[in-house]
Amino acid sequence: MSLSSDANIPHDFRKPLLSQTTRFMTASWKDDPEMTRFGGKSIWGFLNDRVRYKGPQVLRHGKMAVHSYWSQHRFVFPRAAAPIVFQYISMRFFHYSWPLPLAFVVYAVSFLIFTDHMINHFNRLAEEHGFLDGDRIRDDVPDIRLASASIGSILTVTARPLLGCLLTYKRHELPHLGLWTPVHMFVYTALVDFWFYVYHRAMHEVDILWCFHKTHHMAKHPSTPLAILADPVQEFCDILLIPLLAFICYPLPFHIWWLTTVYLLFIEGAGHTGTRLYWTSAITGPILQPLGMELVLEDHDLRHRNGWGRSSSNYGKQTRIWDVVFGTTRPRLEMVPENIDWDNQV
């Protein structure tokens, strides 16, 4: 498939004027101490300031390092496994099975703590390694979406655990992870990405749906908090509908579902950081990289820079399987083999 040219795109789908984008993405709240102070004028300002990148944005040169699979597992797995271990101890040694409300609270709090640690982790890596397209400043949550972005983040860390609890949690099922767990995680991730690809591409190519998605593309150089910059219809699809469709196609036991969901969030968040690291999913990368189907951070970053209306590409958010199959990939600019220091693993 060849991507459509701007000349064939209806007026509403063309790239907005720079002045329009600049006005929409204005983030003056971060410069007001009363907006970012706890107990100040805005709780939403305080929450967004808590997670936004505050380090220097220095242009970096030379070959980029590789964020190794081992490093990703070392960060994600202990945090994802912690509530599973607590539940196992409760059932195995204290003979207490968690009722659904308690399980939801524990896993939702764990999701929230993981998200906080994850964003701080991303910010540290960005400060150390810089950003893609490094002469451009990364976008912050705009003034007019300060509250909705915060609410969307809260919904993400509560609605997904609730979905898993309602779909697959069994009170008396002892937590267990087996040798086939990585296979189950890979298949479920590929299915999440398939349904995301279908819905995401439809949002770009079906005129009536674009109005629900264009807000997300006002950010041309996104940062992690902007992963949730969206209208309510897109938020519903991202947070609930896509995971639900994947689960219907490939049901998972609760604890494997939980582990996979944490890894999905990690890659989803990383894709919006723009960090100058060769970084692909530790779940799908080992299999997909030799096939040229792995998703790296630049793929998603390029989509934001160039993906207005029907001129978009790189629709996947976890892999490039479906972009390769359907011919909607975009050539990488910085994360090309000759620009990667494969020996520098971080």
Side-chain angles (χ1 to χ4, degrees), residues 30-49:
K30 63 185 181 181
D31 300 318
D32 183 352
E34 282 301 310
M35 289 290 287
T36 59
R37 181 178 62 82
F38 180 72
K41 291 190 293 187
S42 172
I43 183 61
W44 310 123
F46 169 76
L47 291 176
N48 278 280
D49 189 66

Side-chain angles (χ1 to χ4, degrees), residues 163-193:
L163 177 68
C165 285
L166 293 177
L167 287 176
T168 186
Y169 181 76
K170 295 179 175 60
R171 176 172 181 175
H172 300 291
E173 181 179 80
L174 188 69
H176 65 280
L177 301 173
L179 294 177
W180 286 94
T181 295
V183 176
H184 294 313
M185 294 175 71
F186 180 94
V187 173
Y188 185 79
T189 298
L191 284 169
V192 166
D193 207 49

Side-chain angles (χ1 to χ4, degrees), residues 65-322:
V66 177
H67 195 24
S68 70
Y69 299 137
W70 164 245
S71 294
Q72 294 181 55
H73 286 307
R74 187 174 58 189
F75 179 85
V76 178
F77 185 80
R79 293 168 173 81
I84 298 177
V85 172
F86 292 150
Q87 186 181 5
Y88 180 87
I89 293 172
S90 173
M91 296 180 68
R92 181 70 176 80
F93 298 104
F94 296 95
H95 309 292
Y96 179 70
S97 300
W98 294 358
L100 189 145
L102 175 60
F104 164 67
V105 170
V106 172
Y107 282 95
V109 170
S110 299
F111 211 43
L112 176 63
I113 293 172
F114 174 81
T115 302
D116 183 68
H117 289 186
M118 176 187 76
I119 294 175
N120 289 329
H121 176 66
F122 291 164
N123 288 341
R124 287 194 299 271
L125 290 174
E127 185 168 3
E128 182 178 350
H129 297 279
F131 295 97
L132 298 164
D133 200 19
D135 57 346
R136 303 296 182 91
I137 300 297
R138 307 305 293 191
D139 296 324
D140 276 308
V141 175
D143 294 336
I144 61 175
R145 290 302 178 107
L146 198 58
S148 63
S150 301
I151 294 171
S153 299
I154 294 169
L155 287 175
T156 298
V157 300
T158 54
R160 284 183 181 173
L162 179 61
L163 177 68
C165 285
L166 293 177
L167 287 176
T168 186
Y169 181 76
K170 295 179 175 60
R171 176 172 181 175
H172 300 291
E173 181 179 80
L174 188 69
H176 65 280
L177 301 173
L179 294 177
W180 286 94
T181 295
V183 176
H184 294 313
M185 294 175 71
F186 180 94
V187 173
Y188 185 79
T189 298
L191 284 169
V192 166
D193 207 49
F194 170 75
W195 286 113
F196 184 83
Y197 179 93
V198 171
Y199 129 84
H200 189 192
R201 187 169 176 180
M203 287 279 195
H204 280 267
E205 298 191 0
V206 179
D207 292 11
I208 196 171
L209 299 179
W210 173 244
C211 64
F212 301 119
H213 185 53
K214 63 182 181 181
T215 295
H216 188 67
H217 277 280
M218 295 301 283
K220 302 305 176 189
H221 293 82
S223 53
T224 303
L226 289 173
I228 203 64
L229 177 68
D231 289 320
V233 171
Q234 180 179 336
E235 288 184 342
F236 170 76
C237 292
D238 287 353
I239 296 171
L240 291 176
L241 180 61
I242 301 304
L244 176 61
L245 290 172
F247 183 86
I248 291 172
C249 295
Y250 195 73
L252 291 177
F254 175 78
H255 301 98
I256 298 178
W257 175 90
W258 160 258
L259 193 64
T260 310
T261 297
V262 175
Y263 273 92
L264 287 171
L265 178 69
F266 185 73
I267 292 301
E268 183 179 345
H272 287 86
T273 64
T275 305
R276 195 173 181 271
L277 274 174
Y278 184 85
W279 185 341
T280 187
S281 170
I283 298 301
T284 61
I287 295 174
L288 297 181
Q289 186 175 1
L291 303 174
M293 292 182 173
E294 85 285 8
L295 186 85
V296 298
L297 264 58
E298 188 179 22
D299 295 324
H300 198 80
D301 212 56
L302 287 171
R303 184 173 68 79
H304 271 274
R305 281 182 249 164
N306 302 286
W308 188 262
R310 293 188 182 129
S311 65
S312 191
S313 55
N314 293 353
Y315 294 109
K317 193 156 63 171
Q318 297 290 332
T319 77
R320 284 212 302 180
I321 295 175
W322 312 111

Side-chain angles (χ1 to χ4, degrees), residues 63-66 69 278 289 294 296 335-346:
K63 293 186 176 184
M64 66 181 70
V66 177
Y69 299 137
Y278 184 85
Q289 186 175 1
E294 85 285 8
V296 298
M335 290 189 182
V336 292
E338 59 270 21
N339 198 33
I340 311 297
D341 184 356
W342 301 102
D343 295 324
N344 185 6
Q345 303 272 326
V346 300

